[in-house]
Amino acid sequence: MTKPQVVQAPVSHTSATVELDTPLKRGETEVTELTLRKPSAGELRGVSLAEVLQMQTDALITLIPRISNPSLAAAEVRQMDPADLVQCGGEIAGFLLTKRAKGEAD
């Protein structure tokens, strides 16, 4: 008897959902997760790619409001739990790597 094949859905390389360890408060509501999308070249203006890849705090504070849904203000990013900021930074750094660097086939 043959085993059924499991087909995995392709992994999205254009967005990532980050579940926040510490929700952000917005008045009466809480933001518990963010969807980050792969930035375009224009959204990277004014930030050093090296600093983004090194997950420098100032670079992430500038970039996250440009690519997050719900859209966060820079002041909200400054209030994030450091663990959540690192998690977002890791996802963003992953967006900037080439397929070859990620070990993926074309």
Side-chain angles (χ1 to χ4, degrees):
M1 181 158 216
T2 62
K3 293 182 181 179
Q5 289 186 331
V6 176
V7 178
Q8 293 182 355
V11 177
S12 172
H13 299 290
T14 59
S15 68
T17 300
V18 175
E19 189 173 325
L20 301 177
D21 285 345
T22 305
L24 297 169
K25 299 238 185 233
R26 277 193 166 167
E28 298 291 320
T29 63
E30 285 188 339
V31 176
T32 59
E33 70 178 26
L34 295 176
T35 300
L36 301 173
R37 62 180 168 67
K38 184 175 184 173
S40 65
E43 290 165 326
L44 293 168
R45 72 191 181 286
V47 295
S48 163
L49 292 178
E51 289 179 357
V52 172
L53 288 170
Q54 293 172 353
M55 296 192 290
Q56 295 286 326
T57 303
D58 289 338
L60 295 177
I61 288 171
T62 300
L63 187 54
I64 290 172
R66 298 177 184 176
I67 63 170
S68 64
N69 185 23
S71 184
L72 298 180
E76 291 173 307
V77 178
R78 283 188 203 95
Q79 296 301 315
M80 287 179 84
D81 183 304
D84 293 329
L85 185 66
V86 168
Q87 188 174 358
C88 289
E91 294 293 346
I92 293 167
F95 291 145
L96 303 181
L97 298 177
T98 63
K99 288 180 182 178
R100 177 174 281 175
K102 293 179 196 175
E104 298 174 5
D106 289 331

